[in-house]
Amino acid sequence: MAGPAFEVISQHRSFGGVVGFYRHDAATTACSMRFAVFTPPQARQGRVPVLYYLAGLTCTEETFMMKAGAQRIAAELGLMLVAPDTSPRGVKIPGDTDSWDFGVAAGFYVDATEKPWSSHYRMYSYVTSELPALIDAGFATDRERQGIFGHSMGGHGALMIALKDPGRYRSVSAFAPIAAPKTCPWGQKAFTGYLGTDQSQWNAYDSTELVGNVKDAARRPPILIDQGSADQFLETQLHPERFEAAARRVGYPVTLRHQEGYDHGYYFISTFMEDHLRHHQRTLGG
């Protein structure tokens, strides 16, 4: 019987479960990709729900596992946590390391259509198709109970992905998401570079556009969003109020919480991580 199609980089005992870091050759991105998994202790007895976390700009697959403080509650609730990297790496596209907000560590969870990015920067397909297939084959996941959440660029990714495929993701939440990327400098830069200048092509990856066109809002999983009031990017880049307004117009269940005094970083995320994991557990079950 063949072994798993990935390499173990390291594994570490954590709250009765295991945090592991892994590498594999990805077909969608045509390069080696890394990901991290927290396997809760309940997975020794059977299959468990799986929750995908998408990280933000400049982050890697290690960031969430090291900074978010999620393992203790995930172990209690019996949730598997999966954190992919934020872009392809080592593919040597000219200019891919010139900016911190485009290229390496800034894949924006889209499938690029513009050359040279389209050869490797296919993070939407990687996150929604190739990686879940690899996880389901190599770990004790219940593929009928999947959720997704993320932070900043990853919050954009989580909202967008869940809205595009509600049948797959039964729970969703976000920390300080780039909620209307078409209208902010980060999103405009990324979408222009990866998708081209025709802004009509951007709508498929803009969460505010997507939620505003939902026809079956009452049947969709509720969304929890936490946003710090002292976030330095709130006014210029994030625009969660635009997402909330679009959701309200179609009756989509969204809870947007404004957290007084919190900024954009992982002290904020770790403070409210338990709330988010319990939000997911209520839908996915433990």
Side-chain angles (χ1 to χ4, degrees), residues 152-172:
S152 193
M153 177 184 72
H156 138 73
L159 294 176
M160 174 267 294
I161 287 169
L163 288 165
K164 286 169 74 71
D165 194 353
R168 176 186 299 234
Y169 301 97
R170 290 176 49 185
S171 63
V172 58

Side-chain angles (χ1 to χ4, degrees), residues 4-286:
F6 54 82
E7 172 192 354
V8 178
I9 299 172
S10 66
Q11 292 180 319
H12 314 273
R13 193 76 168 169
S14 178
F15 294 99
V18 175
V19 172
F21 298 95
Y22 308 92
R23 180 189 298 112
H24 74 116
D25 292 328
T28 48
T29 60
C31 68
S32 177
M33 294 292 293
R34 300 177 308 198
F35 62 94
V37 178
F38 171 69
T39 303
Q42 293 86 343
R44 292 195 291 269
Q45 280 75 50
R47 297 191 175 274
V48 296
V50 57
L51 186 55
Y52 289 86
Y53 178 88
L54 307 183
L57 293 165
T58 76
C59 294
T60 73
E61 78 287 349
E62 295 181 325
T63 309
F64 171 76
M65 293 297 176
M66 296 176 66
K67 292 185 175 182
Q71 291 92 331
R72 179 179 64 84
I73 300 301
E76 174 191 328
L77 300 177
L79 294 173
M80 183 174 293
L81 305 173
V82 179
D85 202 353
T86 51
S87 78
R89 295 178 191 265
V91 297
K92 297 182 179 179
I93 294 176
D96 66 353
T97 59
D98 290 353
S99 303
W100 65 272
D101 57 356
F102 183 80
V104 171
F108 263 82
Y109 304 103
V110 304
D111 280 352
T113 56
E114 294 294 297
K115 294 181 178 181
W117 310 99
S118 57
S119 297
H120 299 282
Y121 278 68
R122 303 184 65 242
M123 290 299 292
Y124 177 82
S125 290
Y126 177 72
V127 166
T128 62
S129 180
E130 184 169 7
L131 181 61
L134 188 74
I135 297 297
D136 289 342
F139 297 86
T141 60
D142 181 346
R143 67 184 64 191
E144 299 301 318
R145 293 188 290 168
Q146 295 187 47
I148 193 165
F149 67 150
H151 168 236
S152 193
M153 177 184 72
H156 138 73
L159 294 176
M160 174 267 294
I161 287 169
L163 288 165
K164 286 169 74 71
D165 194 353
R168 176 186 299 234
Y169 301 97
R170 290 176 49 185
S171 63
V172 58
S173 72
F175 298 93
I178 303 172
K182 281 181 60 177
T183 64
C184 77
W186 281 342
Q188 291 166 352
K189 181 176 181 178
F191 285 4
T192 300
Y194 296 136
L195 304 174
T197 57
D198 181 359
Q199 296 192 16
S200 67
Q201 302 302 309
W202 300 2
N203 292 343
Y205 294 107
D206 185 286
S207 298
T208 296
E209 292 285 343
L210 290 168
V211 78
N213 287 294
V214 168
K215 305 301 183 185
D216 58 345
R219 292 161 44 197
R220 297 292 187 102
I223 294 173
L224 171 64
I225 298 174
D226 272 310
Q227 174 62 61
S229 68
D231 191 318
Q232 63 270 43
F233 304 115
L234 176 57
E235 298 299 326
T236 57
Q237 303 283 8
L238 306 180
H239 304 307
E241 73 286 347
R242 297 181 186 180
F243 180 86
E244 182 186 35
R248 188 184 300 117
R249 286 194 293 271
V250 297
Y252 199 109
V254 172
T255 300
L256 172 60
R257 307 193 306 186
H258 297 275
Q259 304 296 354
E260 185 65 30
Y262 284 89
D263 61 20
H264 196 67
Y266 271 81
Y267 295 113
F268 155 63
I269 294 169
S270 62
T271 299
F272 300 102
M273 179 56 62
E274 180 172 350
D275 289 357
H276 282 246
L277 294 183
R278 294 192 183 279
H279 163 82
H280 288 274
Q281 192 271 344
R282 283 191 290 273
T283 299
L284 298 179

